[in-house]
Amino acid sequence: MPAIPIRYVGGAEGPWRVVRVAPYRGATLPTAPRLAVREGAGEAVGAAWALRGVLSNIRYTREEERRALVSAQAPTGRALATRAALLPIRKSEAWWALAQDTRRDILEEQSRHVAIGMEYLPAIARRLAHGRDLGEPFDFLTWFEYAPEDEAAFEDLLLRLRASAEWAYVEREVDIRLERDA
Amino acid sequence: MPAIPIRYVGGAEGPWRVVRVAPYRGATLPTAPRLAVREGAGEAVGAAWALRGVLSNIRYTREEERRALVSAQAPTGRALATRAALLPIRKSEAWWALAQDTRRDILEEQSRHVAIGMEYLPAIARRLAHGRDLGEPFDFLTWFEYAPEDEAAFEDLLLRLRASAEWAYVEREVDIRLERDA
């Protein structure tokens, strides 16, 4: 897949109602009534904020994990998925200075990031955009989408990831919750 | 290190004289009399071309390799390094669809990319910028800098890399050679 630009735009427009914008670590973002997800390049006029990222190649996932994810995961945009969370994350410079195998070891062998996410498939659909090479304030824009009855499962997933060794390298994280009409 | 934008600008300005612009694979670029290397964001007005990339985190290098590279490599900008090569490279979508461990296996275990480069340190200084997430035509802007007496060594390094399994995934490569006054 080519690298596809994506923008999460907080403002007056979009199908998602913003239920909550809260800091998890570091500075928060202003709140906004609605959120729109836009693919492709472009400017956001009059928005409270626009977070830019790129849907790009996988960075840590091994072939056997890639196959398991592809066979288990659900796409975004399912009619039943009327709840979502946008978690923009920035990691520390210490993280980015680590070698590839050291980062993989922390992410998976120590933190089970891929394995934990797999346990919640297909209920919790996920989409990851990368912002670091764009000079954006967030390295990752992580998006989760699920049915109302899977909200407790999502909270559980989030607790487990945030308790992991990997999260010691997260220096900024904002927690944005969203709902839309069925 | 934060991700640092870098531009290689072909046009009327810059310390480097363009000696040759030749296609190695796929479409070439127009020639230009001079080349300037600019760090930071900005526009190139009136240039023949401007290739954008980001000096970013390492993607495949393991910790023991990182340490060996750091202790062996020379910086760019040495007074003796009056020859340079800029090799913008685009890899195929098939490459980018591969899992991380498969790409690493092709790059190093099959192709010895890191190990081969190491043999030519410190004579051949290198700098790698990433352009794929920026939506640029080239995924990589690879820069090599050396003294005139190391030109044969550079040609040898290039022959070995281009003969590797990894290069089957290169779908576009332009070969730009440069000289500057001592």
Side-chain angles (χ1 to χ4, degrees), chain A residues 1-3 54 56-63 66 93 96-103 130 132-134, chain B residues 1-3 54 56-63 93 96-103 130 132-134:
Chain A
M1 65 166 195
V54 178
S56 185
N57 61 291
I58 52 179
R59 310 287 162 104
Y60 298 102
T61 313
R62 293 184 178 156
E63 176 58 15
R66 189 191 68 77
E93 287 307 311
W96 293 112
L98 296 172
Q100 178 69 24
D101 60 334
T102 311
R103 277 182 276 114
H130 298 268
R132 181 172 157 81
D133 279 4
L134 307 185
Chain B
M1 63 166 196
V54 178
S56 186
N57 61 290
I58 53 179
R59 309 286 162 106
Y60 299 101
T61 314
R62 293 185 178 155
E63 176 58 14
E93 287 306 311
W96 293 111
L98 296 173
Q100 179 69 25
D101 60 336
T102 310
R103 277 182 277 114
H130 298 269
R132 180 171 158 81
D133 280 4
L134 308 184

Side-chain angles (χ1 to χ4, degrees), chain B residues 115-125 152-154 156-158 160:
Chain B
I116 289 171
M118 197 100 70
E119 290 179 43
Y120 299 86
L121 296 178
I124 315 290
F154 173 68
D156 186 55
L157 161 61
L158 204 51
R160 293 173 68 189

Side-chain angles (χ1 to χ4, degrees), chain B residues 50-53 90 130-141:
Chain B
L51 306 177
R52 293 189 314 137
R90 181 184 178 93
H130 298 269
R132 180 171 158 81
D133 280 4
L134 308 184
E136 285 287 296
F138 295 100
D139 298 331
F140 307 100
L141 305 174

Side-chain angles (χ1 to χ4, degrees), chain B:
Chain B
M1 63 166 196
I4 298 166
I6 189 168
R7 285 167 296 138
Y8 293 97
V9 183
E13 290 174 20
W16 294 96
R17 286 188 302 279
V18 178
V19 176
R20 180 160 65 89
V21 177
Y24 174 71
R25 196 170 290 170
T28 191
L29 286 166
T31 195
R34 303 195 78 85
L35 182 119
V37 186
R38 306 218 185 275
E39 287 192 19
E43 292 301 313
V45 179
W49 39 262
L51 306 177
R52 293 189 314 137
V54 178
L55 306 171
S56 186
N57 61 290
I58 53 179
R59 309 286 162 106
Y60 299 101
T61 314
R62 293 185 178 155
E63 176 58 14
E64 75 269 19
E65 294 161 347
R66 190 191 66 79
R67 285 172 192 265
L69 285 166
V70 164
S71 74
Q73 73 199 357
T76 55
R78 293 168 298 171
L80 62 80
T82 57
R83 301 275 169 95
L86 172 63
L87 300 162
I89 287 170
R90 181 184 178 93
K91 282 181 173 167
S92 66
E93 287 306 311
W95 171 263
W96 293 111
L98 296 173
Q100 179 69 25
D101 60 336
T102 310
R103 277 182 277 114
R104 161 74 198 192
D105 184 74
I106 295 165
L107 183 130
E108 194 57 24
E109 280 65 40
Q110 294 181 41
S111 302
R112 316 298 300 160
H113 188 133
V114 176
I116 289 171
M118 197 100 70
E119 290 179 43
Y120 299 86
L121 296 178
I124 315 290
R126 303 182 304 167
R127 190 142 86 151
L128 173 64
H130 298 269
R132 180 171 158 81
D133 280 4
L134 308 184
E136 285 287 296
F138 295 100
D139 298 331
F140 307 100
L141 305 174
T142 64
W143 175 266
F144 302 86
E145 216 178 86
Y146 43 88
E149 59 267 32
D150 291 314
E151 184 138 46
F154 173 68
E155 299 294 352
D156 186 55
L157 161 61
L158 204 51
L159 270 176
R160 293 173 68 189
L161 288 175
R162 286 173 172 168
S164 72
E166 186 191 351
W167 247 250
Y169 294 91
V170 171
E171 63 176 29
R172 188 178 177 196
E173 179 177 349
V174 183
D175 189 331
I176 302 168
R177 301 303 176 92
L178 308 136
E179 294 183 9
R180 66 170 177 79
D181 297 327

